[in-house]
Amino acid sequence: DAGVIQSPRHEVTEMGQEVTLRCKPISGHDYLFWYRQTMMRGLELLIYFNNNVPIDDSGMPEDRFSAKMPNASFSTLKIQPSEPRDSAVYFCASRRGTSVTDTQYFGPGTRLTVL
Amino acid sequence: AQSVTQLGSHVSVSEGALVLLRCNYSSSVPPYLFWYVQYPNQGLQLLLKYTSAATLVKGINGFEAEFKKSETSFHLTKPSAHMSDAAEYFCAVKKSSGNTGKLIFGQGTTLQVKP
C-alpha cells in the first residue's frame, strides 16, 4: 500500500491567495484527519471525517479554513484568503475505524509558506 | 478532558546511553496512550500503544513504555540509544469510551543523540 498521500509537498504563496491542500487516505480507511504543526502550537487537530462526513471541526481556526471529503479516497483543506500566520506543516492521517485503538497513519505533510 | 504533558522539550543523550522520554496524562476515563516518532521532514509513525492489555508495552526499534496509573505516566524508554533515534517524539491520549477519532498530542520532545 502506498500509504497516505499528500500533495503538494511544499507550497509557497502570497498573502491573500487561495491555497488547496490534498490528501488521499489509505484504501479502506474510513476516518480521515487534518492536523497542523507549528513550533508555537505543536500538533493541532483541525478536523476529522468519518465515512466522508465531518465529525468534529472544532479545531478549524476560522472561517478562512474549510475542508471537504467528496469521496472515500480524497479530501481537501482549503485556506481562502491565506495569511502569513497560516504558515505551517499540514498533515493528513487516516485510520480504519473498526477499533478505537486502530493506528492513525500519517502522510508526509505539506509545508505551507505564506509570504 | 484528556491531555498529555511531555516533560522536557529537548533531551540529549550519548550514543549507547539510556533514553527516557517523559509523558504524563490526564484523563477522566481509562485512557489509551500512544507514542509516535517523527523523523525530519516526515510524517508521524506509531512507535507503540497502550490499550489496557498489558502495562509494559513493547514497540518498534527497541522502544518500550510502561503505563503507571498511580503516577498517571507513560514514559518511553530505550536501553541504548542509536544515532538513528534522533527525532521528535510525541505522546498522545485517546478516550477509551466511544469510538471517537480524536488523539490529543503532547508538545513533543526532540531527542538528540551525540556520538
Side-chain angles (χ1 to χ4, degrees):
Chain A
D1 198 318
V4 176
I5 298 172
Q6 291 187 246
S7 64
R9 291 294 311 276
H10 301 273
E11 176 81 31
V12 180
T13 191
E14 293 190 345
M15 182 173 63
Q17 296 298 306
E18 177 180 296
V19 175
T20 300
L21 311 181
R22 297 172 175 80
C23 175
K24 176 179 169 57
I26 293 172
S27 177
H29 284 193
D30 52 353
Y31 280 84
L32 184 138
F33 307 83
W34 282 101
Y35 291 89
R36 177 173 69 176
Q37 185 179 37
T38 61
M39 290 291 291
M40 290 296 293
R41 303 166 88 108
L43 197 61
E44 305 171 275
L45 177 64
L46 300 178
I47 185 171
Y48 76 92
F49 297 81
N50 178 218
N51 292 322
N52 313 336
V53 175
I55 302 300
D56 184 346
D57 65 355
S58 59
M60 295 285 263
E62 48 197 278
D63 291 347
R64 298 185 296 106
F65 286 70
S66 62
K68 294 182 179 180
M69 192 164 186
N71 58 61
S73 59
F74 184 65
S75 177
T76 59
L77 178 68
K78 186 176 293 186
I79 309 172
Q80 166 63 16
S82 58
E83 296 182 3
R85 60 193 167 119
D86 302 330
S87 297
V89 181
Y90 292 81
F91 289 102
C92 177
S94 71
R95 173 174 78 88
R96 188 180 57 194
T98 54
S99 166
V100 70
T101 61
D102 280 344
T103 301
Q104 279 191 27
Y105 292 88
F106 283 75
T110 295
R111 183 174 296 276
L112 173 65
T113 302
V114 183
L115 303 174
Chain B
Q2 286 70 38
S3 67
V4 288
T5 302
Q6 293 184 239
L7 302 175
S9 58
H10 287 83
V11 170
S12 181
V13 301
S14 297
E15 191 174 19
L18 171 72
V19 175
L20 171 61
L21 304 182
R22 300 176 187 273
C23 173
N24 287 90
Y25 70 89
S26 172
S27 179
S28 56
V29 298
Y32 293 138
L33 294 159
F34 304 77
W35 275 101
Y36 279 81
V37 61
Q38 183 180 26
Y39 298 105
N41 300 313
Q42 295 186 28
L44 281 71
Q45 65 183 88
L46 183 70
L47 268 179
L48 50 81
K49 60 184 176 184
Y50 166 75
T51 60
S52 76
T55 56
L56 182 63
V57 182
K58 294 187 184 298
I60 61 172
N61 300 338
F63 284 93
E64 62 182 37
E66 186 172 7
F67 173 72
K68 291 187 177 180
K69 185 177 179 180
S70 60
E71 299 177 8
T72 62
S73 69
F74 190 57
H75 301 331
L76 182 70
T77 60
K78 181 174 180 177
S80 176
H82 293 173
M83 296 297 292
S84 60
D85 295 327
E88 189 159 18
Y89 292 79
F90 293 90
C91 183
V93 64
K94 184 190 289 186
K95 283 198 312 186
S96 60
S97 58
N99 189 12
T100 67
K102 292 179 73 165
L103 277 176
I104 309 299
F105 284 89
Q107 285 295 99
T109 298
T110 299
L111 176 65
Q112 179 187 25
V113 182
K114 297 177 291 186

